[in-house]
């Protein structure tokens, strides 16, 4: 269904790519919306994943505060879908980032306009992909979180507790890592970037 966003399908696709390459001990990096896929892969196929890096993402780890923030993002996505958004405006980008880096915000907006599904459908699909504690118990790989100081969704310690001792936290004090955007998936050696 080209109009829907299905994280489970993306996980299946990454599994198929890894199997076709004969890879079974990878480090997977999920940036932004790729975090859901990276964490989903590590949970679904722990035999394939050595470690996980989650960058500028909640990756399906929701608590009440993150859920409230996500509802605000969804409201903003619906608002932007009802009228053409201003250049550089995207629901995944913070307003401060867009004003400080209008060229990169515009590029992010432009890249997400290619193809299907729409950013609103992607956000909706991601919002329905939530990993509960029973699912997280299947996670075997260590997880490193990389979080920018401007990140509005990922705050120090909030989601880290969900993964207990598996999580490490790196704070980028210079710039938000969200600004680099998710451009797809690639396998480089034993590193998978989604």
């Amino acid at each position: 269904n080209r109009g829907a966003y299905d994280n489970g399908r993306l996980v299946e696709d990454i599994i198929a790519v890894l199997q076709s390459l004969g890879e079974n001990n990878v480090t997977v990096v999920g940036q932004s919306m790729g975090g859901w896929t990276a964490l989903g892969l590590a949970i679904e196929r722990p035999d394939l994943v050595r470690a996980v890096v989650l960058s500028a993402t909640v990756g399906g780890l929701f608590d009440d505060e993150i859920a409230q923030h996500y509802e605000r993002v969804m409201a903003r996505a619906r608002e932007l879908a009802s009228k053409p958004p201003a250049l550089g405006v995207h629901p995944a980008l913070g307003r401060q980032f867009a004003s400080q880096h209008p060229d990169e915000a515009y590029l992010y907006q432009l890249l997400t306009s290619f193809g299907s599904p729409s950013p609103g459908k992607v956000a909706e699909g991601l919002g329905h992909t939530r990993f509960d504690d029973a699912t997280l118990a299947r996670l075997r790989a260590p997880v490193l979180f990389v979080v920018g100081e401007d990140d509005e969704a990922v705050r120090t310690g909030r989601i880290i507790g969900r993964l207990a001792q598996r999580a490490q936290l790196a704070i980028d004090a210079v710039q938000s890592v969200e600004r680099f955007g998710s451009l797809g998936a690639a396998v480089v050696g034993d590193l998978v970037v989604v």
Side-chain angles (χ1 to χ4, degrees), residues 82-152:
S82 67
K83 61 181 177 185
L87 290 179
V89 175
H90 189 281
L93 296 176
R95 286 177 169 79
Q96 182 178 355
F97 175 82
S99 68
Q100 291 176 345
H101 307 281
D103 53 340
E104 293 174 9
Y106 172 70
L107 179 60
Y108 190 92
Q109 179 189 35
L110 184 63
L111 289 172
T112 61
S113 70
F114 298 145
S116 175
S118 69
K121 291 287 184 187
V122 170
E124 183 180 316
L126 292 174
H128 294 301
T129 304
R130 299 181 183 202
F131 300 113
D132 60 20
D133 291 338
T135 302
L136 289 173
R138 298 184 356 228
L139 181 65
R140 298 289 174 254
V143 179
L144 170 69
F145 286 87
V146 181
V147 181
E149 68 179 357
D150 295 334
D151 197 307
E152 296 176 9

